[in-house]
C-alpha cells in the first residue's frame, strides 16, 4: 500500500440510491470527507414519496396509519428487521435532516402529524406514505375531504389515464371528473413526464397549459395532474399553476422513470456537490484491499480513467439486484463487492411464491446482508466482518420494503445509523479533531 | 332449478356441437363450416388454452418421427406441405437441422437418412463446418448434421383464423363456457347445458352431433356423456429465451428425448421439452428442477444456452389414449385417436384427441368425414386447397407483424404501448373492437392471447399499465374492472417467469415489485 491515492477520505460510499445519497449527506453534515461511487440511476425510479412503514407482513392485511405503532409491533414480530436495530430517534433525525436539506434545495416535504397519509396513484389505487412532497400534499386533503377533483391527462402520455383514476376511485369518491388534453404546441405522438415537466419549468408554457385546462373546470375544488410540474423549479411551477387555476393542484405518482424521483436526484446531487462530497459517478470498483491499520485502498475505473482512493471506512449501499449490490446465478445469491455472506432461502425453488401478489411476500425479498446494531455486516456466527464497513439500505436482510412500504425509511435511517457508528469508532474521531472540520 | 329458469335460458340450435377451442376443435369448426354444416364451438377457457397454446410451435417435416413412427412421419410431411400453402401468414419457413453430438447413438445416426428417404422426407447430409456456418452457436462437439424442411408455426394465428373464417360463415363460438351436462334421448345426445364461467349465465344448445375435441380433457367430457375414455397424461415443459438463438429449427439427432429441440419464434427461441407422467391434466406449471434440466441438456447442443437469459417457461399436457406402451409416453403420444362412440352406446358422439399441431388439419378432415357419414351428408373436405383467408385482426399473434405495422403506420396519433413487441394503440383498439363484435368477454389476458402483449423481454411488467390506461381512456374499461384485469394478467405472466427468475431477471422482477407493490400497492387492492 505504498502508492499515494488520488483521493483520501473518511467515508467511501458505494451506491447512489437513497441510502447512498442520504449517507453521504449525513456524513458531510458531520464534517466527514466523503467520496461516493455509483453508476446506475436508482433515484430516477423513486416515486418521490418517502415511506416509513405501513404494513407488517406478519399481519398482511393491516395498513397502519401510525407508522411508529406499526414499528413497535414489527420489532416484536421480526426482531431481525433493520428497524429493530435502529433507535426511533435516529429514524426521526434521519427524516428531519433529509427534509431540511431538501428544503434548502427548494424541494419541500412534509410529514403530516407524524402519521401516514394516503394519496391516489395513477392506476386509481391508494398509496400510503409518510413524508409527502409538496406537489402531492393537496392530494391528501382532497382524498380525505372527498373534494370534487378534475383529473387532467395529456394525449400521448401513455402511462397516465385521467379516466382510469376517475373510474377506479368513483365508487368511494363522488364528484370526480376527467379530461385528456393535447399538450400545448406539441406534436402528436409519445410524450414522457420528464419532457412535459421540463416544458412546464417555463412560465409561458404553464400559462398555455392553464388556459386549456380552465374551460374544463366546473366547480371542482382541486386539479390532479400527472407528475409534470417542473424539474428544477417545481415549487414555483406548482404555486404558479395553483394561482393560474385558482384552486389547489397536485401531482399523481405514476410509473417510472419518475419526475418526483428525478427532482430528488437533482436536489441531492447539487446539494452534496456544494457540501464538498467527491463524486465518482460511473466509475466501477476494480479492486479493494485493506491495510494493517484497517484503511481501504480502492481502485476504480471508467473506460478511460482510473482513480485510487484511501478510505477510513465504507458504507455499502449498493442496493439489491437492480443496483447490482446483489447478484445471483441459478442457485445462489452473492454480495457483489466484498462477497459478504448473504442470508438467503434454500435454493431457487423457494425464492418465489406461486402467486405474485401473495400476502406473505416472496422469500427472496428478505435475502440480504445481516448486520449488528451498528450496521456492520456479520457472518454466520454472528461476528462482525470488518469494524469499519457498514451496510445500509435495501441490501439489508430481513425486510421486504416493497410490501412493507418501508424502503425510504430503511435507506435513510440505516444510512444515519451507519454514519453515526463510523464516527463513534475511534479512527475517525481522532482525524476529525486533528483537521478540525467537525460540524 | 325451477321451470322459470329453463324458459328464461338462452337456447341455440346447431347441427354439430364442438367441444374444445384448441387447434383441433377450431380446425374441425372450419372444415365442417366449409362443407356447409352449421356448428357451435364451446371452450371452457379461452382460445388455445390447452396444449395448443403450450407447445413448441414446430411445424414438423416428419424427420423427427422417421425412425420411431414412420406413419406419423409421413403424415407430418404431407400436412406441413399443405399448411405451408394454405396458411403462409402464420408460418416462418425457417428450415431445420438435425445435429448429433459426441456420445449420441451411432446406429440411430446411421439409420436416420434411410428412414427419412423411405417416407420421402428431405434429410440432406451437410458438413459439420457448413452446419456451424448456418448456426454459429452450435457446439464444437457435433459429429453429424442433416438439413431438413422443419418450420415454425404460430398456433394462435392458426386457431384465430379458423375461428374468424368459420364465424364469418355463420358458426358460433362461446368462450369461458363449460358443459354442465348432456341431455341424452335413446342413446343420442340431443342437447347440452352450459354455464358461462365469467357471468354465471346458463344456456342450452340443441344439436344433432357432438365432437369432443377437448384434448387432454377429452375423458372428462366423455364422462358427461356416460362414455369411458381411458387416458393418461404427459406433461411437457418449454423455455423461452430472451433472444433468438438460431435461425433454423435445431433438433438433436437421437431418439426423441428431453430438451432436444430449439424452435425459433420471431425474436425468441423456444427450448424443450420434457415428458413427465401426470395423473391430472389441470393446472400444470413448470418446476425449477425441470427448467434446470432443460438448460443443462439443451446446452449440450448449443452451449450458449447455459448462460442465456430466459424470459418464460410454460408447460402443456399431451393426452395419451389407452394404456401406456412400453416405449414410453413420447412414442405413444404422436398418433391421433378418432373414436366413434356408437360402439360405447352413444350414437352421435365422437372424440378426436392426441396428434400434433402439425396434423390438426388432417385430424379435422377425418373427424368431419365421420360426422358427414353420421349426418348422411356427402360433402368433400375442402381444407387441402382453400387457403385460410387472412382476417386482418388475426395477424397480431405472429411475431414480426406488429413491428411491420408500426413502421408503416400513417396515423401520427398512434403511439406504442409495448416497446418490446411494438404493439400500438391502433392494434389494441382493433382487437378490442373485434372481441366486442364477437361478443367475447374482454380482458387483458384475452388481449394477450390475441396479440404478443406481454410476450417480449419485459413480460408485460410495464406495458400492462400503459395498455390499461389506454383502455380506460378509450372507454373499453370502466369502474374498477382494470384492477382485476391487471392483476390477472400480471399473475398469468408471473406463472410463466417464476421458474426462470435467476441472474439478471432478478433485477427486472425487483423493479416490477417496486412499482406494482411499492408504489401502486396492488397486492392490497
Ligand atoms: C409440450 C408440448 C409440445 C408440443 N410441441 C408440438 C410441436 O412442436 N409441433 C406439433 O405439431 N405439435 C406439438 N405438440 C402437440 C400439439 O400441441 C397438440 O397436438 C395440439 O395442440 C392439440 O390440440 P387440441 O385442440 O387437440 O387440444 P388442446 O389444445 O388441449 O385443446 C383442448 C381444449 O379443450 C378445452 N376444454 C377442456 N375441457 C372442456 C370442456 N369441458 N368444455 C369445453 N372445453 C373444454 C380446453 O380448455 C382446451 O382449450 C406439443 C404438445 C405439447 C404438450
Amino acid at each position: 500500500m505504498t502508492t499515494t491515492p488520488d483521493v483520501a477520505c473518511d467515508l467511501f460510499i458505494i451506491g447512489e440510491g437513497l441510502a447512498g445519497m442520504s449517507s453521504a449527506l449525513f456524513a458531510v453534515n458531520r464534517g466527514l470527507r466523503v467520496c461516493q461511487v455509483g453508476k446506475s440511476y436508482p433515484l430516477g425510479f423513486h416515486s418521490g414519496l418517502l415511506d416509513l412503514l405501513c404494513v407488517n407482513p406478519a399481519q398482511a392485511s393491516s395498513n397502519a396509519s401510525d407508522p411508529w405503532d406499526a414499528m413497535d409491533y414489527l420489532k416484536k414480530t421480526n426482531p431481525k428487521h433493520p428497524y429493530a436495530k435502529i433507535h426511533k430517534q435516529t429514524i426521526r433525525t434521519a427524516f428531519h435532516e433529509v427534509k431540511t436539506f431538501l428544503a434548502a434545495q427548494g424541494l419541500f416535504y412534509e410529514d403530516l402529524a407524524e402519521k401516514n397519509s394516503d394519496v391516489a396513484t395513477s392506476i386509481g389505487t391508494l398509496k400510503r406514505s409518510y413524508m409527502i412532497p409538496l406537489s402531492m400534499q393537496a392530494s391528501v386533503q382532497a382524498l380525505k375531504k372527498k373534494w370534487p377533483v378534475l383529473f387532467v391527462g395529456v394525449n400521448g402520455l401513455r402511462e397516465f389515464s385521467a379516466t382510469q383514476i376517475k373510474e377506479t376511485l368513483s365508487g368511494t369518491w363522488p364528484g370526480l371528473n376527467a379530461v385528456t388534453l393535447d399538450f400545448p404546441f406539441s406534436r402528436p405522438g409519445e410524450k414522457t413526464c420528464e419532457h412535459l415537466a421540463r416544458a412546464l419549468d417555463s412560465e409561458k408554457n404553464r400559462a398555455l397549459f392553464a388556459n386549456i385546462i380552465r374551460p374544463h373546470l366546473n366547480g371542482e375544488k382541486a386539479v390532479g395532474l400527472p407528475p409534470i410540474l417542473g424539474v428544477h423549479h417545481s415549487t414555483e411551477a406548482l404555486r404558479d399553476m395553483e394561482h393560474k387555476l385558482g384552486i389547489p393542484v397536485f401531482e399523481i405518482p405514476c410509473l417510472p422513470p419518475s419526475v418526483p424521483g428525478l427532482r430528488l436526484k437533482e436536489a441531492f446531487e447539487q446539494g452534496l456537490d456544494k457540501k464538498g462530497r467527491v463524486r465518482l459517478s460511473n466509475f466501477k470498483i476494480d479492486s479493494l484491499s485493506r491495510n494493517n491499520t484497517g484503511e481501504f485502498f480502492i481502485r476504480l475505473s471508467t473506460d478511460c480513467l482510473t482513480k485510487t482512493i484511501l478510505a477510513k471506512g465504507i458504507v455499502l449501499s449498493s442496493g439489491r439486484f437492480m443496483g447490482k449490490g446483489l447478484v445471483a446465478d441459478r442457485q445462489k445469491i452473492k454480495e457483489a463487492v466484498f462477497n459478504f455472506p448473504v442470508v438467503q432461502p434454500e435454493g431457487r425453488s423457494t425464492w418465489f411464491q406461486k402467486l405474485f401478489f401473495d400476502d406473505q411476500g416472496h422469500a427472496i425479498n428478505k435475502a440480504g446482508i445481516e448486520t449488528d446494531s451498528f450496521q456492520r455486516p456479520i457472518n454466520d456466527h454472528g461476528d462482525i466482518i470488518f469494524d469499519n464497513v457498514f451496510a445500509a439500505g435495501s441490501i439489508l436482510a430481513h425486510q421486504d420494503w416493497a410490501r412493507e412500504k418501508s424502503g425510504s425509511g430503511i435507506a435513510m435511517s440505516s444510512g444515519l445509523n451507519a454514519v453515526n457508528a463510523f464516527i463513534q469508532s475511534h479512527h475517525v474521531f481522532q482525524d476529525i479533531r486533528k483537521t478540525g472540520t467537525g460540524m | 332449478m325451477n321451470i322459470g329458469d329453463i324458459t328464461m335460458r338462452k337456447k341455440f340450435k346447431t347441427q354439430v356441437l364442438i367441444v374444445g377451442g384448441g387447434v383441433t376443435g377450431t380446425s374441425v369448426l372450419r372444415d365442417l363450416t366449409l362443407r356447409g354444416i352449421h356448428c357451435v364451438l364451446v371452450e371452457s377457457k379461452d382460445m388455445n388454452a390447452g396444449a395448443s397454446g403450450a407447445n413448441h410451435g414446430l411445424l414438423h417435416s416428419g424427420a423427427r418421427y422417421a425412425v420411431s413412427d414412420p406413419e406419423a412421419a409421413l403424415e407430418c410431411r404431407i400436412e406441413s406441405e399443405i399448411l405451408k400453402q394454405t396458411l403462409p401468414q402464420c408460418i416462418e419457413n425457417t428450415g431445420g437441422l438435425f445435429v448429433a453430438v459426441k456420445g449420441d447413438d451411432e446406429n440411430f445416426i446411421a439409420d436416420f437418412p434411410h428412414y427419412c428417404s423411405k417416407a420421402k422426407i428431405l434429410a440432406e447430409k451437410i458438413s459439420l463446418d457448413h452446419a456451424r456456418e448456418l448456426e454459429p452457436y452450435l457446439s464444437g462437439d457435433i459429429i453429424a448434421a442433416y438439413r431438413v424442411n422443419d418450420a415454425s408455426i404460430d398456433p394462435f394465428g392458426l386457431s384465430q383464423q379458423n375461428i374468424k373464417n368459420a364465424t364469418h360463415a355463420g358458426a358460433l363460438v362461446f368462450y369461458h363456457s363449460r358443459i354442465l351436462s348432456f341431455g341424452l334421448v335413446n342413446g343420442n345426445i340431443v342437447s347440452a347445458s352450459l354455464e358461462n364461467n365469467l357471468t354465471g349465465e346458463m344456456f342450452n344448445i340443441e344439436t344433432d352431433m357432438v365432437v369432443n375435441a377437448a384434448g387432454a380433457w377429452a375423458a372428462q367430457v366423455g364422462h358427461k356423456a356416460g362414455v369411458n375414455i381411458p387416458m393418461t397424461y404427459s406433461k411437457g415443459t418449454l423455455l423461452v429465451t430472451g433472444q433468438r438463438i438460431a435461425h433454423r429449427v435445431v433438433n438433436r439427432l437421437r431418439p426423441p428425448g428431453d430438451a432436444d429441440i430449439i424452435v425459433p419464434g420471431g425474436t425468441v427461441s423456444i427450448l424443450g421439452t420434457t415428458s413427465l407422467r401426470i395423473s391430472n391434466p389441470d393446472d400444470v406449471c413448470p418446476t425449477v428442477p425441470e427448467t434446470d434440466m432443460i438448460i443443462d441438456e439443451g446446452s449440450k447442443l448449443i452451449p450458449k444456452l447455459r448462460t442465456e437469459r430466459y424470459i418464460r417457461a410454460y408447460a402443456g399436457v399431451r393426452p395419451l389414449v389407452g394404456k401406456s406402451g412400453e416405449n414410453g409416453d413420447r412414442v405413444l403420444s404422436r398418433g391421433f385417436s378418432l373414436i366413434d362412440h356408437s360402439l360405447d352406446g352413444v350414437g352421435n358422439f365422437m372424440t378426436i384427441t392426441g396428434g400434433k399441431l402439425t396434423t390438426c388439419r388432417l385430424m379435422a378432415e377425418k373427424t368431419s368425414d365421420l360426422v358427414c357419414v353420421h349426418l348422411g351428408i356427402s360433402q368433400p373436405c375442402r381444407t387441402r386447397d382453400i387457403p385460410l383467408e387472412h382476417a386482418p385482426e388475426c395477424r397480431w399473434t405472429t411475431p414480426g407483424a406488429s413491428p411491420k405495422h408500426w413502421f408503416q403506420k400513417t396515423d401520427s396519433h398512434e403511439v406504442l404501448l409495448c416497446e418490446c413487441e411494438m404493439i400500438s394503440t391502433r392494434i389494441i383498439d382493433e382487437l378490442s373492437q373485434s372481441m366486442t363484435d364477437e361478443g367475447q368477454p374482454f380482458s387483458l389476458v384475452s388481449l394477450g392471447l390475441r396479440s404478443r402483449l406481454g410476450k417480449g423481454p419485459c413480460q408485460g411488467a410495464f406495458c400492462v399499465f400503459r395498455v390499461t390506461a389506454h383502455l380506460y381512456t378509450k372507454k373499453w374499461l370502466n369502474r374498477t374492472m382494470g384492477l382485476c384485469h391487471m392483476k390477472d394478467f400480471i399473475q398469468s405472466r408471473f406463472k410463466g417467469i417464476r421458474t426462470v427468475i435467476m441472474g439478471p431477471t432478478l433485477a427486472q422482477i425487483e423493479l416490477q415489485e417496486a412499482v406494482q407493490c411499492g408504489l401502486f400497492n396492488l397486492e392490497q387492492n
Side-chain angles (χ1 to χ4, degrees):
Chain A
M1 233 45 59
T2 46
T3 347
T4 335
D6 297 325
V7 185
C9 65
D10 298 313
L11 258 189
F12 179 65
I13 293 174
I14 304 173
E16 288 192 350
L18 189 59
M21 291 302 203
S22 50
S23 299
L25 171 69
F26 302 136
V28 292
N29 276 352
R30 284 157 186 74
L32 303 182
R33 294 166 303 161
V34 171
C35 182
Q36 189 175 11
V37 67
K39 59 174 174 253
S40 52
Y41 182 114
L43 278 180
F45 289 98
H46 197 285
S47 69
L49 289 152
L50 298 177
D51 297 349
L52 173 53
L53 179 67
C54 296
V55 180
N56 182 348
Q59 30 161 212
S61 55
S62 77
N63 202 349
S65 59
D66 186 331
W68 305 102
D69 282 353
M71 199 173 297
D72 291 335
Y73 186 78
L74 179 74
K75 287 180 181 185
K76 262 185 259 153
T77 49
N78 182 358
K80 290 183 164 177
H81 191 281
Y83 277 147
K85 296 171 189 158
I86 306 174
H87 288 294
K88 272 189 185 167
Q89 195 46 50
T90 306
I91 301 171
R92 283 200 166 85
T93 308
F95 270 90
H96 182 76
E97 204 166 320
V98 167
K99 174 177 148 183
T100 310
F101 165 77
L102 291 174
Q105 317 307 314
L107 199 56
F108 298 96
Y109 272 82
E110 210 59 65
D111 61 85
L112 304 153
E114 293 214 324
K115 292 275 194 317
N116 285 327
S117 313
D118 288 331
V119 297
T121 73
S122 64
I123 64 166
T125 53
L126 300 185
K127 150 92 181 155
R128 191 160 275 196
S129 186
Y130 183 67
M131 205 135 81
I132 315 288
L134 180 69
S135 69
M136 299 179 192
Q137 282 165 19
S139 175
V140 176
Q141 294 308 315
L143 173 66
K144 212 183 273 170
K145 301 190 175 132
K146 299 278 151 58
W147 287 346
V149 170
L150 176 68
F151 295 107
V152 178
V154 172
N155 279 316
L157 188 61
R158 301 167 296 174
E159 30 276 313
F160 189 92
S161 162
T163 316
Q164 177 176 11
I165 305 170
K166 178 203 122 188
E167 285 289 328
T168 309
L169 288 168
S170 278
T172 52
W173 186 350
L176 301 179
N177 266 312
V179 62
T180 303
L181 302 171
D182 284 328
F183 199 69
F185 289 112
S186 65
R187 274 187 245 120
E190 280 147 28
K191 311 272 180 308
T192 69
C193 286
E194 185 177 338
H195 289 145
L196 302 182
R198 292 199 188 277
L200 292 181
D201 265 335
S202 122
E203 193 276 334
K204 226 176 71 200
N205 290 332
R206 291 196 294 267
L208 293 170
F209 193 42
N211 283 345
I212 61 164
I213 295 175
R214 211 173 288 115
H216 297 276
L217 285 173
N218 184 15
E220 284 88 355
K221 288 180 82 173
V223 168
L225 293 175
I228 54 173
L229 288 172
V231 177
H232 293 285
H233 308 287
S234 58
T235 305
E236 188 188 320
L238 175 78
R239 292 302 181 220
D240 187 36
M241 278 305 275
E242 292 188 323
H243 173 73
K244 290 184 156 72
L245 294 173
I247 47 176
V249 170
F250 59 84
E251 292 186 322
I252 296 157
C254 180
L255 268 193
S258 138
V259 169
L262 180 64
R263 291 178 196 136
L264 271 180
K265 173 178 157 359
E266 309 245 306
F268 268 111
E269 276 170 11
Q270 286 162 13
L272 288 173
D273 285 347
K274 279 186 242 156
K275 287 174 182 269
R277 168 208 52 165
V278 177
R279 181 174 180 225
L280 295 167
S281 211
N282 294 319
F283 276 80
K284 75 176 201 317
I285 299 172
D286 292 331
S287 71
L288 200 139
S289 55
R290 197 168 188 257
N291 66 22
N292 45 17
T293 61
E295 292 178 332
F296 282 95
F297 189 81
I298 305 141
R299 285 178 192 280
L300 305 159
S301 68
T302 63
D303 288 344
C304 43
L305 290 173
T306 60
K307 273 251 180 329
T308 53
I309 291 179
L310 191 65
K312 294 184 167 36
I314 293 180
V315 175
L316 180 68
S317 43
S318 45
R320 302 181 68 77
F321 302 102
M322 256 205 290
K324 300 204 168 68
L326 299 178
V327 291
D329 57 16
R330 271 202 258 160
Q331 296 303 347
K332 260 202 128 33
I333 306 166
K334 287 185 172 167
E335 188 280 311
V337 179
F338 294 92
N339 199 13
F340 283 148
V342 176
V343 180
Q344 58 187 292
E346 254 315 277
R348 202 165 92 246
S349 297
T350 56
W351 284 0
F352 289 94
Q353 308 271 11
K354 289 227 160 86
L355 298 178
F356 185 70
F357 293 114
D358 194 297
D359 274 349
Q360 294 301 305
H362 305 292
I364 194 169
N365 293 345
K366 298 218 165 147
I369 304 297
E370 178 144 16
T371 70
D372 68 357
S373 52
F374 297 99
Q375 302 302 137
R376 292 173 300 191
I378 55 176
N379 63 21
D380 305 343
H381 308 293
D383 305 324
I384 58 165
I385 301 170
F386 298 122
D387 60 2
N388 57 345
V389 177
F390 309 86
S394 63
I395 197 172
L396 296 172
H398 306 297
Q399 50 85 23
D400 187 348
W401 69 265
R403 311 257 166 170
E404 297 165 1
K405 326 296 167 194
S406 61
S408 300
I410 291 176
M412 298 188 293
S413 55
S414 61
L416 179 55
N417 209 33
V419 170
N420 284 340
F422 174 73
I423 289 172
Q424 278 167 27
S425 62
H426 68 280
H427 311 275
V428 196
F429 242 141
Q430 293 169 345
D431 194 66
I432 289 175
R433 290 216 195 93
K434 246 190 345 237
T435 56
T437 52
M439 227 179 141
Chain B
M1 171 200 328
N2 58 40
I3 293 169
D5 272 336
I6 296 176
T7 50
M8 290 297 288
R9 274 194 199 174
K10 276 196 196 142
K11 264 196 194 136
F12 301 88
K13 203 168 157 30
T14 187
Q15 289 175 283
V16 183
L17 171 65
I18 301 162
V19 185
V23 292
T24 308
T26 62
S27 296
V28 173
L29 180 74
R30 172 176 184 244
D31 188 315
L32 288 172
T33 308
L34 276 175
R35 299 188 204 214
I37 295 169
H38 188 265
C39 302
V40 172
L41 184 147
V42 296
E43 160 60 52
S44 60
K45 292 180 180 161
D46 203 340
M47 182 189 78
N48 284 12
S52 301
N55 57 63
H56 245 135
L58 165 55
L59 187 65
H60 284 284
S61 65
R64 182 163 162 93
Y65 306 116
V67 181
S68 59
D69 189 347
E71 200 182 326
L74 185 66
E75 281 173 7
C76 282
R77 186 205 15 102
I78 296 169
E79 287 303 309
S80 66
E81 282 164 9
I82 294 173
L83 287 180
K84 282 177 191 171
Q85 295 303 317
T86 57
L87 189 69
Q89 66 270 31
C90 291
I91 293 170
E92 188 186 343
N93 206 347
T94 58
L97 293 180
F98 271 76
V99 183
V101 297
K102 257 180 220 155
D104 285 344
D105 181 353
E106 307 266 344
N107 291 332
F108 188 86
I109 300 170
D111 289 346
F112 176 72
H114 171 66
Y115 279 94
C116 283
S117 77
K118 266 216 295 213
K120 295 207 175 60
I121 294 166
L122 172 109
E124 177 200 344
K125 191 173 171 73
I126 59 173
S127 73
L128 302 182
D129 283 345
H130 187 39
R132 275 190 290 261
E133 221 168 81
L134 294 176
E135 295 301 345
Y137 291 125
L138 280 177
S139 156
D141 284 343
I142 59 174
I143 54 170
Y146 288 85
R147 209 173 60 78
V148 300
N149 275 338
D150 287 345
S152 103
I153 178 166
D154 164 22
F156 294 95
L158 168 71
S159 281
Q160 230 185 332
Q161 306 207 25
N162 277 334
I163 290 167
K164 274 285 160 191
N165 277 265
T167 49
H168 280 166
L172 292 177
V173 176
F174 296 101
Y175 297 114
H176 305 285
S177 297
R178 191 163 45 96
I179 304 246
L180 298 174
S181 61
F182 288 117
L184 279 110
V185 174
N186 298 332
N188 280 315
I189 300 176
V190 294
S191 68
S193 79
L194 292 104
E195 181 180 358
N196 183 310
N197 295 331
L198 301 181
T199 61
E201 195 192 349
M202 315 252 245
F203 59 102
N204 280 5
I205 299 174
E206 284 175 20
T207 185
D208 298 334
M209 290 265 350
V210 176
V211 172
N212 172 9
W217 297 269
Q220 295 177 9
V221 174
H223 186 72
K224 294 195 195 298
V227 163
N228 178 37
I229 307 170
M231 277 175 82
T232 46
Y233 313 98
S234 157
K235 170 188 172 191
T237 294
L238 297 152
L239 303 190
V240 185
T241 58
Q243 52 176 337
R244 185 161 170 164
I245 307 290
H247 306 291
R248 289 160 192 73
V249 177
V250 181
N251 301 266
R252 181 101 168 252
L253 180 48
R254 67 172 184 194
D258 285 332
D260 51 6
I261 311 181
I262 299 148
V263 183
T267 55
V268 303
S269 287
I270 300 168
L271 168 64
T273 167
T274 54
S275 181
L276 179 77
R277 181 59 68 90
I278 54 173
S279 54
N280 178 354
D282 289 313
D283 301 324
V284 296
C285 27
T287 65
V288 167
E290 278 166 2
T291 55
D292 281 346
M293 189 274 277
I294 293 174
I295 295 171
D296 290 339
E297 202 48 40
S299 49
K300 291 180 187 157
L301 204 54
I302 296 185
K304 182 178 156 65
L305 290 170
R306 190 172 293 287
T307 50
E308 199 51 35
R309 178 175 167 219
Y310 292 89
I311 54 175
R312 201 163 120 70
Y314 56 92
V317 182
R318 307 178 188 90
L320 312 172
V321 177
K323 300 262 163 339
S324 161
E326 272 158 19
N327 297 326
D329 297 343
R330 239 186 215 93
V331 177
L332 219 159
S333 65
R334 302 310 170 190
F336 62 84
S337 313
L338 174 60
I339 310 168
D340 185 339
H341 294 297
S342 335
L343 304 170
D344 305 316
V346 185
N348 60 346
F349 182 46
M350 61 186 69
T351 293
I352 174 75
T353 185
K356 280 173 282 293
L357 165 61
T358 308
T359 57
C360 65
R361 192 213 60 86
L362 177 68
M363 293 160 69
E365 175 179 341
K366 298 285 182 215
T367 309
S368 304
D369 285 349
L370 187 59
V371 168
C372 284
V373 171
H374 275 273
L375 293 178
I377 293 172
S378 57
Q379 280 287 339
C381 174
R382 296 163 68 199
T383 56
R384 264 171 208 275
D385 312 311
I386 302 183
L388 258 164
E389 198 188 304
H390 197 176
E393 62 272 38
C394 300
R395 64 190 190 277
W396 305 122
T397 52
T398 307
S402 320
K404 191 167 158 204
H405 162 77
W406 177 250
F407 290 118
Q408 294 172 350
K409 74 176 168 108
T410 49
D411 177 3
S412 60
H413 292 275
E414 191 173 345
V415 295
L416 277 186
L417 296 174
C418 161
E419 264 120 14
C420 316
E421 292 290 336
M422 307 194 86
I423 299 169
S424 68
T425 42
R426 157 83 199 283
I427 297 177
I428 296 297
D429 289 338
E430 188 176 305
L431 287 169
S432 308
Q433 188 64 54
S434 148
M435 274 192 277
T436 312
D437 291 348
E438 287 171 30
Q440 303 304 349
F442 179 83
S443 73
L444 283 172
V445 174
S446 53
L447 266 179
L449 272 182
R450 288 159 180 81
S451 67
R452 298 205 36 90
L453 185 63
K455 304 211 170 71
C458 89
Q459 290 289 295
F462 277 71
C463 46
V464 61
F465 296 107
R466 297 202 188 124
V467 172
T468 309
H470 176 75
L471 291 171
Y472 269 106
T473 304
K474 287 294 181 73
K475 310 243 162 25
W476 295 110
L477 289 175
N478 61 25
R479 299 174 182 273
T480 55
M481 278 160 74
L483 290 177
C484 311
H485 287 320
M486 285 188 280
K487 288 181 82 169
D488 286 350
F489 184 81
I490 291 165
Q491 176 57 30
S492 78
R493 294 286 100 187
F494 180 70
K495 182 180 165 198
I497 116 170
R498 183 180 169 269
T499 59
V500 291
I501 306 176
M502 51 191 158
T505 316
L506 281 161
Q508 181 190 325
I509 283 289
E510 184 184 325
L511 175 58
Q512 186 179 331
E513 208 167 348
V515 172
Q516 296 174 358
C517 301
L519 171 58
F520 290 143
N521 210 9
L522 259 177
E523 80 281 16
Q524 294 198 45
N525 275 276

